[in-house]
Amino acid sequence: MKFASVFGAAALAIGFAAAPADAAVLFSGSTSGCFGTGCNTFTTVAKDNPNLTFTGSTFSNSTDTTLFVGLGTFSLANGNHTYTGDDFTLKITFTDPAGVAPSAIFTADITGKVEPAKGGQTGFASVDFDNSVHQFSWAGGTFTVKVDDVSNFALNNSNTVFGTIELTSVSAVPEPGTWAMMLLGFSGVGFVAYRRRSSTAFRLV
């Protein structure tokens, strides 16, 4: 009886101790863009003019800490447009984890310029994003998103928008092995209690 009692208590303790503090979370989604002040029409391929184009992308990966993801690409074609702070809005739509709130929208400005040079058109553009950390929540916890600025890129070239997703809290969900150990512990405790009741009833008769 002592062995069963010790076994049950030990299994129960191991079960609780083995419960993970965090678990990997799947982040999936897509991006779209919109040029102009106060714009609300987001498209996968957005154009500021014939020269500057933003192309959205999709992402899907799991992490239990930090995830770096590509959020689309800016490309600059030949032209003589001069950029003086053209507004741009990047929209990130999460499909996983489900139920993310609020929707992820980042505001940015085009801060580069295109200049003529000897021998033909040349120049560069850059994108200055809102670099603050944005926090989001879903049923399983919370996470933050931060979008990096896009450094200068030349005519007929492109540059990728990168973002950082970081888990700040996540509900612990025991793994299958942990569940089995916990059930074994509860069974041991229940068996010990049953044997004690049976033994007491036998002595009273």
Side-chain angles (χ1 to χ4, degrees), residues 50-140:
N51 309 120
L52 184 63
T53 303
F54 170 78
T55 304
S57 64
T58 60
F59 58 90
S60 183
N61 211 336
S62 298
T63 184
D64 57 1
T65 52
T66 303
L67 186 65
F68 300 98
V69 291
L71 301 174
T73 304
F74 283 94
S75 56
L76 188 63
N78 272 316
N80 56 7
H81 185 81
T82 300
Y83 295 94
T84 57
D86 304 36
D87 289 331
F88 173 79
T89 303
L90 170 68
K91 183 174 183 179
I92 306 175
T93 302
F94 287 95
T95 54
D96 287 299
V100 171
S103 60
I105 299 178
F106 301 93
T107 305
D109 291 326
I110 303 296
T111 57
K113 60 181 179 179
V114 179
E115 301 174 326
K118 186 177 180 179
Q121 294 288 344
T122 186
F124 63 90
S126 63
V127 185
D128 181 18
F129 274 105
D130 167 15
N131 300 130
S132 59
V133 176
H134 300 257
Q135 181 165 303
F136 302 92
S137 61
W138 88 104

